């Protein structure tokens, strides 16, 4: 497919809305947007890291909202999300062309608790479905799902094929430079025939190094917790049985200070993230650093423990055993 000849958007919408004025748009991208605009639905955007998934997703939001469509954007990249803090998948609804998309406070979030989908594929898939349903119930005619770059290898195939099965998109936009994801697309075709549109990668795409991605996450943690305050919540909100015996023992014995938490309401929507600071002397209350407002405290129905620690300076520390990290290293290189 290659990097097709692209042109800077020169129509009135590109000049009017800063979101797309500096994006290179290929004729193939424009044709895909026009096709989706005629009959909106759920759109799954897939490709390897650096192929332009986020750029294409932004363009689709612009194009459809300018066509007077109500659009939802779901960002499923838990390591480099544009909608919400790291370790979450988020969704925002747009009824008119936005000036910007990046936000730490999307309309809805699901807490995954990790910066990689590996080991959390079911949570990511069903969280995406939950957000998609929320979007449609909220009036979205088009739902754009910007997926992570985990697409090659066994875990990548499992993640993408499960999303195709569970979310059932009407459109799958596949970005590739040559045929790097063609084997996956053959499997997709057998499950969702006629839905795939192959597109060239973006001239504007960037494939950041792992170190650059880590630094970006740390910046987002610092920004997210900048005005956080300590909130006390009962330990009874934690379902310790879901974490396995060793993890349950560590949590119960107060060995997980600085672990990242998801503060969730009934139904699983994440209200906010938190950082565990301490337990009270009786072990009945958790002291949690969080930006959640005091007025929303009563909405917290459960507290979920993540797989990483986040220190007050934003530095993250994985709780996944080193052996597991080594086992997933080949998969990790495909995150976006």
């Amino acid at each position: 497919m290659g990097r097709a000849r692209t042109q800077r958007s020169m129509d009135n919408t590109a000049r009017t809305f800063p979101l797309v004025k500096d994006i290179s748009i290929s004729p193939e991208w424009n044709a895909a947007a026009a096709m989706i605009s005629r009959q909106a639905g759920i759109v799954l955007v897939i490709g390897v890291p650096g192929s332009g998934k986020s750029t294409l997703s932004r363009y689709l939001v612009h194009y459809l909202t300018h066509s007077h469509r109500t659009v939802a954007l779901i960002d499923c990249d838990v390591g480099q999300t544009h909608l919400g803090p790291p370790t979450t998948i988020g969704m925002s609804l747009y009824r008119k062309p936005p000036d910007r998309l990046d936000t730490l406070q999307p309309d809805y979030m699901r807490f995954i608790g990790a910066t990689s989908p590996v080991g959390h594929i079911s949570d990511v898939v069903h969280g995406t479905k939950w957000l998609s349903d929320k979007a449609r119930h909220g009036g979205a005619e088009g739902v754009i799902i910007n997926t992570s770059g985990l697409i090659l290898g066994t875990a990548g195939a499992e993640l993408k094929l499960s999303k195709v099965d569970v979310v059932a998109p009407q459109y799958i936009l596949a970005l590739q430079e040559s045929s790097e994801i063609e084997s996956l697309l053959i499997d997709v075709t057998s499950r969702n025939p006629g839905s795939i549109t192959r597109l060239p990668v973006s001239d504007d795409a960037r494939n950041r190094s792992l170190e650059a991605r880590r630094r970006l996450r740390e910046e987002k943690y610092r920004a997210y917790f900048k005005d956080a305050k300590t909130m006390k919540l009962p330990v009874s909100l934690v379902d310790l049985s879901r974490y396995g015996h060793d993890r349950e023992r560590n949590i119960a014995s107060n060995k997980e200070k600085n672990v990242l938490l998801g503060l969730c309401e009934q139904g699983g929507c994440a209200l906010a993230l938190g950082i565990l600071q301490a337990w009270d002397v009786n072990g009945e209350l958790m002291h949690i650093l969080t930006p959640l407002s005091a007025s929303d405290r009563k909405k917290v129905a459960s507290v979920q423990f993540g797989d990483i620690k986040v220190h007050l300076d934003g530095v993250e520390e994985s709780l996944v055993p080193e052996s597991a990290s080594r086992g997933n290293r080949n998969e990790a290189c495909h995150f976006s």
Side-chain angles (χ1 to χ4, degrees):
M1 183 68 68
R3 292 180 181 262
R5 177 182 60 82
T6 59
Q7 58 189 21
R8 293 285 167 185
S9 289
M10 294 301 293
D11 59 10
N12 290 331
T13 58
R15 286 192 290 267
T16 303
F17 300 105
L19 182 67
V20 297
K21 69 178 182 180
D22 295 321
I23 293 178
S24 297
I25 305 300
S26 70
E28 294 91 341
W29 282 28
N30 193 64
M35 171 185 68
I36 294 166
S37 179
R38 287 192 293 271
Q39 186 172 349
I42 299 176
V43 183
L44 198 67
V45 180
I46 64 175
V48 299
S51 58
K53 296 183 298 297
S54 295
T55 304
L56 177 57
S57 297
R58 289 166 185 263
Y59 176 60
L60 291 174
V61 169
H62 154 76
Y63 193 104
L64 295 178
T65 51
H66 192 263
S67 300
H68 308 291
R69 296 281 195 179
T70 298
V71 182
L73 176 62
I74 299 173
D75 196 324
C76 300
D77 191 345
V78 290
Q80 296 293 304
T81 182
H82 295 279
L83 297 179
T87 73
T88 67
I89 57 178
M91 182 271 283
S92 285
L93 200 63
Y94 307 95
R95 303 185 188 279
K96 61 182 181 179
D99 291 334
R100 65 191 305 270
L101 291 178
D102 290 32
T103 178
L104 290 170
Q105 302 291 341
D107 293 335
Y108 294 94
M109 291 193 304
R110 296 285 289 201
F111 180 66
I112 304 301
T115 59
S116 158
V118 177
H120 302 273
I121 287 177
S122 178
D123 289 338
V124 172
V125 169
H126 289 94
T128 302
K129 170 64 173 172
W130 187 88
L131 291 171
S132 177
D133 290 344
K134 276 286 186 184
R136 298 308 291 265
H137 292 156
E141 301 166 88
V143 179
I144 314 302
I145 301 175
N146 181 19
T147 66
S148 74
L150 180 63
I151 192 168
L152 303 179
T154 303
E158 180 185 353
L159 176 61
K160 294 303 185 285
L161 293 175
S162 295
K163 280 187 181 176
V164 170
D165 289 342
V166 174
V167 179
Q170 283 74 48
Y171 305 95
I172 299 173
L173 303 186
L175 293 160
Q176 57 180 353
E177 192 159 8
S178 55
S179 58
E180 58 268 25
I181 63 172
E182 200 59 39
S183 60
L184 174 68
L185 297 182
I186 292 172
D187 290 336
V188 170
T189 301
S190 67
R191 297 165 183 247
N192 200 330
S195 62
I196 299 173
T197 299
R198 291 167 175 81
L199 297 174
V201 301
S202 170
D203 287 343
D204 300 312
R206 292 179 297 166
N207 190 7
R208 295 187 179 94
S209 68
L210 294 177
E211 177 61 21
R213 295 174 190 178
R214 182 188 61 78
R215 289 197 302 269
L216 280 174
R217 288 197 298 271
E218 291 177 355
E219 289 175 9
K220 288 192 173 186
Y221 292 132
R222 286 192 291 269
Y224 185 78
F225 288 104
K226 178 182 177 182
D227 298 318
K229 294 179 172 59
T230 298
M231 178 178 291
K232 295 181 181 181
L233 290 172
V235 176
S236 59
L237 293 176
V238 182
D239 180 6
L240 293 177
S241 65
R242 65 179 290 179
Y243 297 104
H245 178 69
D246 290 341
R247 186 82 192 274
E248 178 182 348
R249 184 173 54 195
N250 286 343
I251 294 172
S253 59
N254 196 18
K255 292 182 179 179
E256 298 212 358
K257 181 180 179 181
N258 293 324
V259 70
L260 193 65
L261 306 172
L263 311 184
C264 304
E265 63 182 344
Q266 194 71 35
C269 180
L271 295 165
L273 301 191
I275 299 175
L276 181 63
Q277 295 296 284
W279 303 72
D280 70 359
V281 292
N282 297 319
E284 295 179 355
L285 290 174
M286 297 174 287
H287 298 228
I288 299 170
L289 187 70
T290 179
L292 185 69
S293 66
S295 60
D296 284 335
R297 180 185 183 280
K298 60 181 179 297
K299 297 180 182 179
V300 180
S302 67
V303 176
Q304 299 175 11
F305 276 62
D307 283 350
I308 64 172
K309 291 184 177 182
V310 174
H311 298 271
L312 298 183
D313 58 1
V315 173
E316 64 182 23
E317 174 188 348
S318 176
L319 294 175
V320 178
E322 180 63 24
S323 59
S325 296
R326 286 196 299 269
N328 292 330
R329 190 165 294 160
N330 290 335
E331 305 290 359
C333 67
H334 302 303
F335 302 154
S336 66

